[in-house]
Amino acid sequence: MVLRALITSRWFLLPCCLFVSGIGMVIALTPERVLAAETDDLQIEITKKGLGKEVVITQGAREWFLMVEVTPENTVIVRQEKDHDKYLVDESETHDRPLAAVEVDAAITDYINSVKARAKKK
């Protein structure tokens, strides 16, 4: 499904796709879209936004969202979780310094792992 969307979209113009058979994961690397993956029934898309990144994870009608916005002065992290149209989590935090790229990546990895662990329980 993700591969078909990549082929028919502008993301395919920068062909840097890797298909890992057996795991069922498609990775597409472009300047805008950093990662699109499909594992089990979770669809994960990570998009680069300036110095930060945005993550959207979907599973049916459930959606998890994380945005890490980095400016020279600070970092804002927004987390949202919704089931159908009902928001279960809608929170943000502000850090008084810009996060380094490695810290942004670590925050995203932790968030994805957290969602995967919680999604398996339901």
Side-chain angles (χ1 to χ4, degrees):
M1 177 167 58
V2 174
L3 186 57
R4 184 178 329 126
L6 286 172
I7 292 171
T8 59
S9 73
R10 65 186 171 98
W11 305 113
F12 194 71
L13 295 176
L14 296 172
C16 185
C17 296
L18 172 65
F19 180 73
V20 181
S21 62
I23 298 174
M25 182 179 290
V26 175
I27 301 172
L29 300 174
T30 67
E32 297 87 18
R33 178 182 278 173
V34 177
L35 172 75
E38 191 171 328
T39 58
D40 298 325
D41 58 343
L42 288 178
Q43 287 78 43
I44 304 168
E45 184 174 322
I46 303 172
T47 308
K48 186 164 176 43
K49 296 284 186 177
L51 298 174
K53 292 185 181 176
E54 190 174 277
V55 180
V56 178
I57 304 171
T58 56
Q59 180 185 49
R62 296 173 67 193
E63 180 179 287
W64 295 266
F65 173 81
L66 174 74
M67 181 186 68
V68 182
E69 184 177 342
V70 180
T71 68
E73 297 82 30
N74 63 21
T75 302
V76 177
I77 299 175
V78 176
R79 287 181 200 83
Q80 295 177 330
E81 179 180 342
K82 69 180 185 177
D83 191 356
H84 290 86
D85 290 331
K86 180 181 177 186
Y87 280 90
L88 308 173
V89 175
D90 190 1
E91 59 189 24
S92 66
E93 59 187 66
T94 301
H95 297 266
D96 60 356
R97 65 177 182 83
L99 292 182
V102 68
E103 293 173 304
V104 171
D105 290 341
I108 288 172
T109 299
D110 290 347
Y111 186 72
I112 291 171
N113 289 336
S114 168
V115 169
K116 285 180 180 179
R118 288 183 286 138
K120 286 182 182 179
K121 291 181 182 179
K122 291 194 176 195

